Amino acid sequence: MAATNDSQTIEEATTGMESAPDQKTRRYDRQLRLWAKSGQAALESSHILVLSSSSTSTSVLKNLVLPGIGQFTILDRTITSPSDAGNNFFLEGQDSVGKPRAEEAVRLLLELNDGVKGHSIVNKDVKEVLGTEDGVEWLKGTFSLVIAHNLEKGALDQLSDVLWKDAKSPPLVVIRSAGFLAEVFIQFHEHAVIDSHLDTTPSLRIDKPFPALLKHSLEIDFENMDVTDHGHVPYVYILVRVLEEWKQAHGGNPPKTSDEKKEFKAIISKMRKKADEENFEEAEAQAFKCWSSTVVPYDIKSLFGAENVAPHTKPFHLLLKALEVYTTTVEPYTLPLSATLPDMKASTGQYVEIQRLYKDRAVEERDTFKAILDKIIAEQGEDASLIDDEVIDDFVKNSHILRLLKGKKWGALDQDKEKLAEAAASEESSKQLGIHLALSALSSLQANAKKQKLTAEAKAILPEGVELPDEHFDNAIGEAARSPTADLPNTAAFLGGVVAQETIKMITKQYVPINGYCTIDLVETWSGVL
């Protein structure tokens, strides 16, 4: 079985081992396999603002410091109390009591990674920052992303308003938790993802083979081939060859009916020289690709013409425009070819050869795409250096898994009475809604979180005539009333992983982040997105 890394040819994989990896590569080896050097570079250039030094906030930061964010700043004037010392792993017990909690947390967090810088601001809170024009500009212009945990409702609403007014502002991650309940929401205008890492295989274009692939497939002498070599011909060649011969005998059409498809597979089976030839088994299993037309996927085509609402996604929209032009003017009117091939039964020589064919063609189509892009950039009067070649290569390689997310403002759900009514009526969404309403009510009545008042406050959020999702809501209200201010270590640890993961997605612009309210119930151990 011949195989290759998704982003490397065999030659690259075997010749790229001449020099030993540097210290940074050794330290971050595992995560580099997840988001590559480009993702790591984005992390290392980021600066995160965290508006709390609570147990949850430090758990989030722990999971960002370890993979190597560039800098973080904690804005919190809280003085460490005995209860803080008892539930926050980034405080030194009684030795931290009476000291600024943010300073203590920063000092201990920095012990995790000497390549990260940390800062604490303990002489003001976020309301004071938002109260001055300089403070607002500092918030919007300094940070890559802002994280707020259990921020007081008035301050959170003000912060959300300020960041939402300017599309150039950083995303805002809102965390609310009480006991074993929590929710996470990311406020952003628009988020473009080139490498979403979705498990979708790019088309091999078996039904629309490029000239070199077709020529090579037709030249293979299956009849006079050695038995060993015959059992190692890549299934792509087999399918292209059989399909071409089928089309010649059927007026240029691929198999259409069930009987024709069975006949097509039977032809493949009869080509075997031995019963156990795995490459022919693969060809039969993948035969559907011969009658599945290669077209632009709907979820990619739906991105064409999307409105650009944020300055930082301008390059992505230019790339999308070039892709739209490419798929409508360049034969065979589909996405640019990817050089990435799946594993298949083949000898090393055969696998290297077919990968060379795909790579050469992919380079040709990439160059055609780049010429279209350059023309569009020039027509729109943009800087020619706006998009570098590495980004273009990534875009073309991942053009089948592109994503463009349109975000919403924090609190938009509570203002959308129709959405609230739909969620309350849905059995699937009512559990998530129960937690959201309980935490929303708690946020408004933090100082007086009695169950009866919490229930009344939650009812006020719902549109008139809509009933609360009783069972799920009662459980959520009970937990919120029982532990309104409890920042439990196990909940904090869970949120630390979830929020850090989503933060890394936003910063690296890889993988698809949550787009909605992620609600978490650690009593019944489930989570969902509302």
Side-chain angles (χ1 to χ4, degrees):
M1 179 74 72
T4 184
N5 180 282
D6 278 354
S7 60
Q8 290 183 305
T9 63
I10 288 178
E11 295 96 324
E12 290 169 341
T14 54
T15 59
M17 301 168 61
E18 296 176 357
S19 59
D22 57 25
Q23 183 178 357
K24 180 183 289 186
T25 301
R26 289 197 299 271
R27 171 185 287 183
Y28 298 134
D29 176 63
R30 290 186 179 182
Q31 64 203 50
L32 285 171
R33 302 176 194 216
L34 292 175
W35 50 71
K37 289 183 178 180
S38 59
Q40 189 62 33
L43 275 183
E44 292 175 7
S45 63
S46 67
H47 190 172
I48 309 297
L49 174 64
V50 182
L51 303 176
S52 172
S53 53
S54 64
S55 179
T56 293
S57 297
T58 54
S59 291
V60 173
L61 280 170
K62 180 258 293 185
N63 292 311
L64 293 173
V65 169
L66 286 172
I69 59 169
Q71 302 182 61
F72 68 91
T73 295
I74 299 179
L75 175 61
D76 188 0
R77 68 193 326 169
T78 304
I79 300 300
T80 306
S81 67
S83 62
D84 292 328
N87 79 338
N88 193 327
F89 290 111
F90 289 94
L91 296 174
E92 285 190 313
Q94 291 301 313
D95 291 342
S96 295
V97 174
K99 299 177 182 177
R101 192 171 67 176
E103 286 184 358
E104 290 291 284
V106 169
R107 177 173 61 83
L108 294 170
L109 282 164
L110 290 179
E111 292 182 3
L112 298 173
N113 192 336
D114 57 12
V116 176
K117 295 178 181 178
H119 319 277
S120 61
I121 299 174
V122 300
N123 61 349
K124 61 180 70 174
D125 59 26
V126 68
K127 276 192 171 182
E128 293 176 65
V129 172
L130 293 171
T132 66
E133 190 173 325
D134 288 344
V136 169
E137 291 304 313
W138 174 74
L139 266 176
K140 295 193 298 183
T142 306
F143 303 103
S144 311
L145 183 138
V146 179
I147 300 174
H149 174 237
N150 280 355
L151 192 61
E152 183 267 323
K153 186 178 186 301
L156 179 58
D157 290 344
Q158 186 181 359
L159 174 64
S160 170
D161 289 341
V162 166
L163 296 180
W164 187 256
K165 284 178 182 177
D166 188 347
K168 293 182 289 186
S169 297
L172 170 64
V173 180
V174 179
I175 315 168
R176 298 199 300 197
S177 65
F180 289 106
L181 303 181
E183 72 175 348
V184 178
F185 179 86
I186 308 175
Q187 173 180 291
F188 61 89
H189 286 86
E190 189 174 65
H191 183 70
V193 183
I194 289 178
D195 190 357
S196 63
H197 295 269
L198 294 174
D199 190 18
T200 303
T201 306
S203 173
L204 295 172
R205 295 231 202 115
I206 290 172
D207 64 317
K208 298 176 180 178
F210 50 92
L213 176 62
L214 179 60
K215 180 175 183 293
H216 189 91
S217 300
L218 295 177
E219 288 176 348
I220 297 175
D221 186 359
F222 285 97
E223 291 293 330
N224 299 312
M225 186 177 288
D226 175 80
V227 173
T228 301
D229 292 338
H230 192 269
H232 289 82
V233 176
Y235 76 80
V236 174
Y237 292 150
I238 299 170
L239 290 178
V240 170
R241 170 70 164 269
V242 175
L243 180 61
E244 183 62 21
E245 292 176 350
W246 175 279
K247 285 181 176 179
Q248 289 176 3
H250 293 80
N253 296 314
K256 293 181 178 180
T257 66
S258 178
D259 288 341
E260 286 182 340
K261 292 171 185 178
K262 288 179 182 178
E263 182 184 349
F264 185 87
K265 289 183 178 182
I267 294 173
I268 296 172
S269 183
K270 288 178 183 177
M271 292 176 68
R272 299 187 191 207
K273 289 190 174 183
K274 293 170 60 180
D276 61 349
E277 289 182 314
E278 293 180 32
N279 56 333
F280 283 88
E281 290 178 10
E282 289 179 341
E284 286 187 59
Q286 299 296 321
F288 69 92
K289 294 179 178 178
C290 294
W291 51 79
S292 300
S293 181
T294 300
V295 296
V296 180
Y298 172 78
D299 52 358
I300 302 302
K301 187 178 290 187
S302 65
L303 300 180
F304 297 159
E307 181 186 1
N308 183 198
V309 298
H312 66 273
T313 57
K314 178 70 173 179
F316 185 82
H317 283 272
L318 291 171
L319 287 163
L320 275 182
K321 180 61 179 175
L323 186 63
E324 181 180 10
V325 172
Y326 181 93
T327 57
T328 53
T329 61
V330 179
E331 291 186 1
Y333 310 112
T334 186
L335 300 176
L337 188 70
S338 171
T340 301
L341 295 178
D343 291 349
M344 62 184 74
K345 184 70 175 180
S347 65
T348 300
Q350 290 271 27
Y351 195 89
V352 169
E353 175 62 21
I354 192 171
Q355 189 169 63
R356 182 189 63 77
L357 289 176
Y358 271 84
K359 186 176 181 181
D360 289 349
R361 180 66 181 187
V363 169
E364 289 179 27
E365 296 193 9
R366 188 273 317 274
D367 291 344
T368 302
F369 174 85
K370 188 175 184 304
I372 293 171
L373 177 64
D374 289 342
K375 182 179 179 181
I376 290 172
I377 289 175
E379 288 174 349
Q380 297 198 12
E382 299 289 346
D383 187 347
S385 63
L386 179 64
I387 308 173
D388 61 37
D389 287 345
E390 185 176 349
V391 173
I392 296 172
D393 289 346
D394 283 344
F395 185 89
V396 171
K397 174 186 173 183
N398 297 295
S399 60
H400 62 295
I401 52 172
L402 305 172
R403 290 296 180 269
L404 181 64
L405 306 182
K406 301 291 185 178
K408 291 185 178 180
K409 182 180 181 296
W410 165 254
L413 175 63
D414 293 348
Q415 305 302 317
D416 191 336
K417 301 304 181 184
E418 185 177 340
K419 288 284 186 184
L420 287 171
E422 288 177 6
S426 167
E427 184 177 346
E428 184 178 344
S429 301
S430 60
K431 291 176 72 173
Q432 291 94 299
L433 181 61
I435 290 178
H436 173 72
L437 291 174
L439 292 175
S440 295
L442 181 60
S443 178
S444 300
L445 302 172
Q446 189 74 61
N448 192 2
K450 301 299 182 183
K451 188 171 182 179
Q452 188 174 359
K453 288 194 173 183
L454 284 172
T455 302
E457 185 68 21
K459 283 184 176 180
I461 297 173
L462 289 172
E464 188 176 349
V466 175
E467 295 296 321
L468 292 169
D470 292 337
E471 179 185 353
H472 305 308
F473 177 73
D474 286 345
N475 292 339
I477 281 289
E479 179 64 11
R482 182 185 72 84
S483 50
T485 59
D487 192 14
L488 303 180
N490 42 0
T491 305
F494 187 85
L495 284 170
V498 170
V499 176
Q501 170 183 278
E502 299 307 312
T503 298
I504 289 170
K505 291 177 184 178
M506 295 296 293
I507 293 171
T508 61
K509 296 180 174 61
Q510 296 184 37
Y511 300 92
V512 181
I514 57 173
N515 192 9
Y517 293 81
C518 177
T519 56
I520 297 163
D521 181 349
L522 295 184
V523 176
E524 297 185 3
T525 61
W526 61 263
S527 64
V529 177
L530 182 62

